[in-house]
């Protein structure tokens, strides 16, 4: 029965509230009540649930033990099930004319509008029936039971409605029952079976459950007996993309609907025994079991059905096999609960039908926690496929010609890829194929060694019978067969996976090898590796022996041992000779691909330093890294840095690297060669070769900054050692190339290595590139560029240069850079004047020649030469500009006539004009420098001192228009250049020629003209001059203001007084007298030494005329005079005291006018260093 807690119901307005009896918790603070045995814990009613009706409630009553009825103001009669809180039925009582009572809410107002109606006396319940009092009759309302309702629907032929109502009844009553019979212990052995009713106990089934099962069986039998015949109906479609005619089998459609109803009903009622018992047999006998299985598949894939009985599973597998879709079985297994299955039958079924994905799922997730056995079974299938590859045409493996869609082309590949994928999942800590995390985490660490132990088996075994349920009595054992194919070879598991896909397999191994938490066993220190052609000695630090930790389930095998086995399989020709899955050519190509993948794998862990390899294999690794697609020099360098020098053959690797022009890798190897051959007898030639090739590698690099590293390297190698002199000869031969790279750094190298062999250096550079290399070297030293980089080297090289070297430098400068000759001659004196002048005149370097003439005393000749050169340059510029404008005009005419025109000629002419303008400005700048240097030291052209040199240059520029035959108002490009030159000259003249003389010159020479181009310059100069006058005037005002402020401050300090009785001279030891009021230290620190001033008979001194007494008397007299003056001057009565001249200090104001007794401590005060006493003002 059902234990229903008593409930009270009440309603007001639209709100209905349910109250349930319960025992309220005791107050923890009420200790007396808790310990008192006689205290009764009374129950109380608390709010259980509440909801709102659609209208105000006017009547409320119980109908039975769990149903509540209420009537609203809108005549809606509603029945509520208070256990599951659902509405059972709603009726309309608007036409029943119920009897109601009215009463007034207030005695004062008796109108009906203020009254209320109640129907509480019109509805009464008795014996599960409801009596309703109407105005003319009494109506009886009875609530039918659920079973009677279902029977009524069944008798009316409404089977689906009856089944639906039965399911509602099950979910609302049976499923939600709360009595003790339905409370079951989850840890009970029968818990799962009872929940799914796999083998139900009849005593646990209620009467309603048994009756509902009988109802479903009656419906199923009736539906099967009245099923339509297996006929088809044709439908035509005109406006759709389906075929024109389609057939619908009425019988299959009927049984499909029937299967869905039965499966849904059994799943909801949890009667799988009924589903796979009578119902399953009914469909089987009706020969529509395939329809039932198809519908069942949908429920399984949607996680509605977690279990399939063994008999049904056998038929389901057979059905999927007939449909050639066995993968459906595996998909269904992933959605089922493996703990509920019969392992013997399901494993045998899966293995027989080669459903290895399902096998993995059942072994790992079915409670067995076995990840190795299903993999062994899968490997046996792989080995069988490889052994039968020559006999079965459908299993022929074509490894190098895969299908374009990426699907495996044979069962050998299909099973092999499944094994690789399974390993990848397990190594990553995931279950296959769902991808859930393997729990607990410790299982991952123990699973990996188990998988590696299987892969590293040297001889294949028959799958271990870890569970008796895995063996099938009718299956032949592999050990009775003769070993063929891969199974007969060593390390068959590794060979099979390498043949399938070496890259995918090695990537799976890398998951474990890259795990930082993985622990690997190591071989003992300095152990010799011997496997096939391997023979290399290596050292391992902090090793862990596998033998010492053989009982550690988390210890993985030695990585070096794994690499040795893989190398013996892959790097040999065993893949070609022993495994023929195609022609020998195809197998050879596949073997090359496998080797390339393995060499990439090997290079990765060689960089990490966790493995080693023999020298021949190192050569193969470097060949792969240098020649593969998208080869990176950084990878080669990182591997070279990680490997010890003794692990590879230098010459072999160097040849490989240089073939692909990896200069930095070759540089590393050549440096290693230099280091290996240094200080060794008989290796001098080899050392020179590697050193020279190292320089080549630097010079051939694409990065300019890296190329400059050759200087640091050569400096380091030539610094010391027995082969230093030999390496210096190499540097001497390669010095021209180093100078061409960077002359300054090359000069620095020479200054540190060849400082005493400067003549030898210059002779080695002589004649190369017509002397440009030698000039670059000398220019780096003499120009000061080297001094910016290395001061010591620059000074040493300059000290070793002679006058002949400087003359050689001038010769090259005149040849290659004549434009900087003037700048060099004007800033240096390390040359012979006559030779330099002759050289400049031969190369027609005008500005430099004029400067040298000036130095020799011929200022007039220098100026004349410069001005003549300026005129010639102006004429040349005019011709260039005219030619350029003429070309532009011709271009326009040619464009209109559709003739071809080369735009490069116009660009070249513009560049030529720009160069000429720059050269003219340089010449004019040199002329102005000459005028500035000789404004006072030399005679002018007219043998008079003064600014005539400047005026001569100015006249030449003004008269340039007539020389160039330009009009006064010309606006051509040459006129613009002349204006710029004239402005440049005027700006230089302002600082050297007085404004008066400049204005007088211009106005006198151009008295009858409108000043032309001088107008703007004159206005600008006058404005500038006026601005300068304003600035100077303001500065003078500021200066006088500061002087006045300083004077006032100085006077204020001088008239400031302090209580100083004595200022003794500065001495080494400053002694403070006990009789002093104020002490002034040597640094001007002033502090009070006594708080009392004694007068008359209180003075310590016997003499009444002490300095202290005199000072106090003088102060009293001063205060009396001030008070007298303040009273007599009425005109200043309203002024503030601060406005009146007061010579009293702040310290004096601390004394009272009547008493000079104690005063406050003044403390230490900085008074500064006073100047000598002066009579400023007076004391009254």
């Amino acid at each position: 029965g059902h234990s229903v807690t008593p409930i009270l119901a009440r309603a007001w307005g639209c709100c209905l509230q349910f109250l349930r009896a319960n025992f309220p918790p005791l107050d923890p603070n009420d200790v007396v009540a808790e310990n008192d045995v006689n205290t009764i814990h009374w129950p109380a009613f608390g709010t259980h649930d509440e909801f709102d009706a659609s209208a105000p409630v006017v009547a409320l009553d119980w109908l039975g033990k769990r149903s509540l009825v209420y009537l609203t103001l809108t005549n809606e009669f509603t029945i509520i099930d208070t256990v599951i809180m659902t509405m059972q039925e709603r009726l309309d009582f608007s036409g029943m004319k119920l009897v109601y009572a009215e009463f007034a809410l207030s005695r004062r107002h008796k109108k009906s509008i203020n009254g209320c109606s109640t129907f509480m006396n019109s509805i009464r319940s008795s014996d599960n029936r409801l009596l309703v009092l109407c105005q003319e009759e009494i109506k009886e309302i009875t609530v039918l039971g659920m079973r009677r309702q279902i029977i009524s629907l069944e008798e009316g032929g409404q089977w689906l409605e009856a089944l639906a109502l039965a399911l509602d009844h099950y979910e609302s009553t049976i499923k939600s029952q709360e009595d003790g019979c339905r409370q079951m212990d989850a840890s009970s052995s029968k818990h799962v079976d009872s929940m799914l009713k796999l083998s139900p106990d009849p005593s646990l089934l209620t009467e309603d459950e048994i009756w509902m099962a009988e109802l479903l069986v009656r419906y199923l039998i009736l539906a099967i007996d009245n099923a339509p015949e297996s006929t088809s109906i044709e439908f035509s479609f005109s406006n759709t993309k389906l075929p024109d005619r389609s057939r619908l089998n009425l019988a299959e459609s009927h049984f499909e609907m029937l299967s869905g109803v039965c499966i849904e009903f059994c799943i909801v009622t949890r009667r799988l025994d009924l589903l796979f018992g009578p119902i399953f047999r009914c469909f089987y006998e009706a020969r529509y079991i395939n329809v039932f299985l198809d519908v069942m598949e949908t429920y399984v894939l949607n996680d509605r059905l977690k279990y399939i009985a063994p008999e049904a599973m056998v038929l389901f597998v057979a059905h999927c096999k007939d449909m050639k879709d066995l993968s459906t079985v595996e998909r269904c297994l992933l959605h089922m609960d493996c703990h509920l299955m019969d392992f013997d039958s399901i494993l045998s079924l899966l293995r027989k039908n080669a459903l290895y994905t399902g096998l993995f799922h059942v072994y790992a997730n079915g409670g067995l926690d076995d990840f190795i056995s299903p993999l062994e079974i899968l490997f046996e299938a792989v080995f069988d496929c490889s052994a039968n590859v020559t006999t079965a045409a459908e299993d022929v493996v074509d490894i190098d010609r895969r299908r374009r869609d990426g699907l495996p082309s044979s069962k050998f590949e299909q099973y092999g890829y499944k094994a690789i994928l399974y390993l990848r999942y397990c190594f990553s800590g995931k279950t296959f194929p769902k991808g859930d995390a393997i729990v607990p985490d410790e299982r991952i660490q123990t699973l990996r060694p188990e998988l590696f132990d299987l892969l590293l088996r040297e001889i294949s075994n028959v799958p271990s019978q870890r569970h008796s349920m895995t063996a099938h009595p009718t299956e032949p054992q592999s050990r009775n067969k003769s070993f063929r194919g891969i199974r007969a070879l060593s390390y068959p598991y590794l060979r099979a996976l390498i043949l399938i896909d070496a890259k995918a397999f090695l990537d799976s191994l890398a998951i474990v090898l890259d795990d930082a938490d993985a622990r690997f066993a190591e071989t003992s220190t300095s152990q010799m590796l011997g496997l096939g052609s391997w023979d290399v000695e290596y050292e391992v630090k902090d090793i862990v022996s596998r033998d010492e930790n053989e009982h550690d389930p988390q210890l993985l095998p030695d990585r070096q041992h794994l690499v040795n086995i893989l190398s013996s399989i892959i790097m040999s020709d065993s893949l070609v000779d022993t495994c023929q899955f195609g022609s020998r050519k195809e197998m050879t190509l596949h073997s090359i691909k496998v080797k390339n993948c393995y060499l990439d794998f090997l290079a990765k862990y060689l960089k990490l330093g966790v493995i080693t390899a023999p020298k021949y294999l190192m050569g193969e690794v470097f060949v792969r890294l240098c020649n593969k697609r998208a080869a990176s020099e950084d990878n080669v360098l990182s591997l070279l840095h990680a490997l010890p020098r003794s692990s590879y053959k230098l010459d072999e690797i160097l040849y490989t690297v240089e073939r692909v022009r990896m200069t930095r890798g070759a540089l590393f190897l050549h440096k290693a060669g230099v280091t290996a051959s240094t200080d060794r007898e008989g290796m001098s030639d080899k050392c020179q070769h590697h050193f020279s090739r190292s320089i080549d590698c630097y010079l051939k690099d694409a990065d300019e900054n890296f190329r400059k590293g050759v200087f640091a390297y050569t400096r380091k190698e030539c610094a010391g050692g027995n082969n230093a002199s030999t390496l210096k000869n190499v540097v001497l031969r390669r010095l021209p190339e180093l100078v061409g790279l960077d002359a300054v750094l090359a000069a620095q190298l020479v200054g540190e290595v060849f400082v005493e062999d400067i003549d030898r250096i210059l002779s080695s550079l002589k004649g190369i590139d017509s002397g440009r290399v030698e000039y670059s070297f000398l220019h780096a030293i003499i120009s000061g560029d080297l001094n910016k980089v290395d001061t010591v080297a620059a000074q040493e090289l300059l000290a070793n240069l002679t006058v002949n070297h400087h003359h050689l430098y001038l010769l090259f400068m005149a040849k290659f850079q004549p434009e900087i000759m003037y700048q060099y001659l004007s800033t240096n004196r390390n040359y012979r004047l006559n030779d330099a002048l002759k050289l400049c005149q031969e190369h027609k370097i005008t500005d430099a020649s004029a400067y040298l003439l000036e130095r020799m005393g011929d200022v007039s000749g220098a100026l004349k030469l410069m001005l003549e050169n300026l005129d010639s340059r102006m004429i040349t510029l005019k011709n260039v500009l005219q030619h350029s404008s003429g070309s532009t005009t011709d271009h326009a005419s040619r464009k209109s006539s559709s003739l071809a025109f080369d735009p490069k000629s116009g660009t070249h002419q513009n560049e030529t004009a720009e160069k000429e303008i720059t050269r003219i400005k340089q010449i004019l700048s040199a002329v102005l420098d000459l005028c500035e240097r000789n404004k006072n030291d030399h005679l002018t052209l007219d043998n008079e001192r003064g600014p005539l040199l400047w005026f001569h240059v100015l006249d030449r520029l003004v008269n340039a228009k007539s020389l160039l035959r330009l009009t006064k108002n010309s606006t051509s490009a040459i006129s613009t250049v002349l204006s710029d030159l004239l402005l440049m000259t005027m700006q230089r003249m302002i600082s050297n020629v007085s404004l008066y003389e400049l204005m007088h010159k211009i106005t006198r020479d151009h008295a009858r003209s409108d000043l032309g181009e001088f107008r703007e310059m004159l206005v600008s100069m006058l404005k500038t001059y006026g601005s300068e006058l304003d600035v100077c005037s303001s500065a003078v005002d500021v200066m006088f203001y500061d002087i006045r402020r300083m004077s006032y401050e100085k006077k204020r300090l001088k008239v400031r007084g302090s209580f100083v009785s004595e200022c003794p001279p500065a001495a080494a030891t400053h002694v403070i007298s006990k009789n002093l009021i104020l002490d002034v230290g040597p640094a001007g620190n002033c502090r009070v030494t006594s708080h009392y001033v004694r007068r008359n008979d209180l003075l310590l001194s016997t003499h009444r005329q002490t300095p202290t007494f005199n000072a106090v008397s003088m102060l009293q007299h001063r205060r009396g005079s001030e008070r007298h003056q303040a009273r007599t001057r009425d005109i200043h009565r309203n002024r503030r005291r601060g406005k009146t001249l007061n010579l009293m200090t702040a310290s004096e104001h601390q004394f009272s006018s009547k008493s000079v007794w104690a005063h406050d401590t003044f403390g230490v005060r900085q008074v500064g260093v006073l100047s000598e006493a002066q009579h400023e003002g007076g004391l009254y």
Side-chain angles (χ1 to χ4, degrees), residues 879-923:
N879 296 331
V880 171
L881 293 176
Q882 288 179 350
H883 182 69
S884 177
S885 61
S887 299
T888 305
T889 305
D890 295 341
H891 168 58
S893 61
R894 291 177 184 178
K895 186 175 181 181
S896 61
S897 59
S898 302
L899 295 177
F901 173 72
D902 186 10
K904 293 183 179 180
S905 60
T907 304
H908 176 69
Q909 291 171 2
N910 292 334
E911 293 177 356
T912 304
E914 291 293 336
K915 290 181 180 179
E916 286 295 331
I917 293 173
T918 304
R919 184 58 180 160
I920 288 173
K921 290 182 179 180
Q922 291 178 353
I923 295 173

Side-chain angles (χ1 to χ4, degrees), residues 52 83 372 442 914 1073:
D52 291 333
V83 176
I372 305 301
E442 293 77 9
E914 291 293 336
S1073 177

Side-chain angles (χ1 to χ4, degrees), residues 664 698-711 740-742 745:
R664 298 192 184 183
Y698 271 112
L699 297 177
K700 292 179 181 178
D701 197 87
D703 188 0
E704 182 179 359
N705 294 327
F706 184 83
R707 290 200 301 269
K708 292 181 180 180
V710 67
F711 298 102
L741 175 61
D742 194 313
L745 296 179

Side-chain angles (χ1 to χ4, degrees), residues 1060-1072:
V1060 180
S1061 61
E1062 186 179 0
C1063 290
T1069 303
H1070 185 64
V1071 182
I1072 302 175

Side-chain angles (χ1 to χ4, degrees), residues 659-837:
R659 282 187 61 186
V660 293
R661 299 178 181 179
M662 292 186 176
T663 56
R664 298 192 184 183
L667 174 63
F668 179 87
L669 295 171
H670 281 301
K671 285 183 178 180
V674 173
T675 304
S677 57
T678 301
D679 299 334
R680 294 178 62 182
E681 297 182 0
M683 302 291 289
S684 177
D685 294 340
K686 194 169 185 179
C687 182
Q688 291 187 47
H689 169 72
H690 285 298
F691 184 66
S692 180
R693 293 294 296 159
S694 298
I695 296 176
D696 287 335
C697 293
Y698 271 112
L699 297 177
K700 292 179 181 178
D701 197 87
D703 188 0
E704 182 179 359
N705 294 327
F706 184 83
R707 290 200 301 269
K708 292 181 180 180
V710 67
F711 298 102
Y713 172 67
T714 53
R715 190 183 308 113
K716 175 184 176 183
E717 295 296 334
C718 296
N722 297 332
N723 294 331
S725 58
T726 305
L727 298 181
K728 287 181 180 180
N729 295 330
V730 176
V731 175
L732 194 62
R733 293 196 304 267
R734 308 301 299 271
L735 189 58
E737 300 175 64
L738 299 180
V739 174
L741 175 61
D742 194 313
V744 176
L745 296 179
Q748 182 185 13
L749 175 64
V750 171
E752 295 183 7
V753 181
F754 305 97
V755 64
E756 298 179 356
D757 300 332
I758 189 66
D759 292 331
R760 182 184 175 189
I761 295 296
L762 293 175
S763 62
S764 65
L765 300 177
K766 188 175 182 179
I768 299 177
D769 196 10
S770 303
R772 285 186 179 271
V773 177
E774 189 175 1
Y775 168 67
S776 299
F777 178 75
L778 291 173
H779 181 72
I781 301 173
I782 300 175
S783 65
D785 294 339
L786 179 60
N787 188 53
K788 300 176 182 177
V789 178
D790 191 343
T791 306
V792 177
Q795 292 176 355
E796 291 181 356
L797 289 176
L798 285 173
N800 286 278
L801 291 179
T802 63
V803 178
N804 293 330
H805 293 149
H806 283 280
H807 182 72
L808 181 63
Y809 174 62
L810 285 177
L811 179 61
F812 288 131
M813 185 185 295
K815 182 178 180 181
F816 299 116
Q817 284 185 303
E819 64 276 3
I820 68 170
M821 179 70 82
Y822 169 74
Q823 181 182 0
Y824 172 74
L825 293 175
S826 60
T827 56
N828 291 274
R829 295 291 185 271
N830 298 324
Y831 54 87
R832 294 185 291 268
L833 283 175
N834 295 328
D835 295 340
L837 178 60

Side-chain angles (χ1 to χ4, degrees), residues 833 837 841 846-866 930 933-934 937-941 943 949:
L833 283 175
L837 178 60
Q841 290 176 348
T846 307
D847 50 356
S849 300
Y851 174 74
L852 295 174
L853 288 175
E854 179 189 355
R855 286 197 58 190
M856 297 175 68
D858 190 3
V859 179
S860 301
L863 183 59
K864 182 179 180 182
L865 181 62
M866 294 288 286
L930 185 146
R933 288 192 299 267
N934 296 277
D937 298 337
H938 297 278
L939 295 177
T940 63
L941 295 177
N943 296 327
L949 285 175

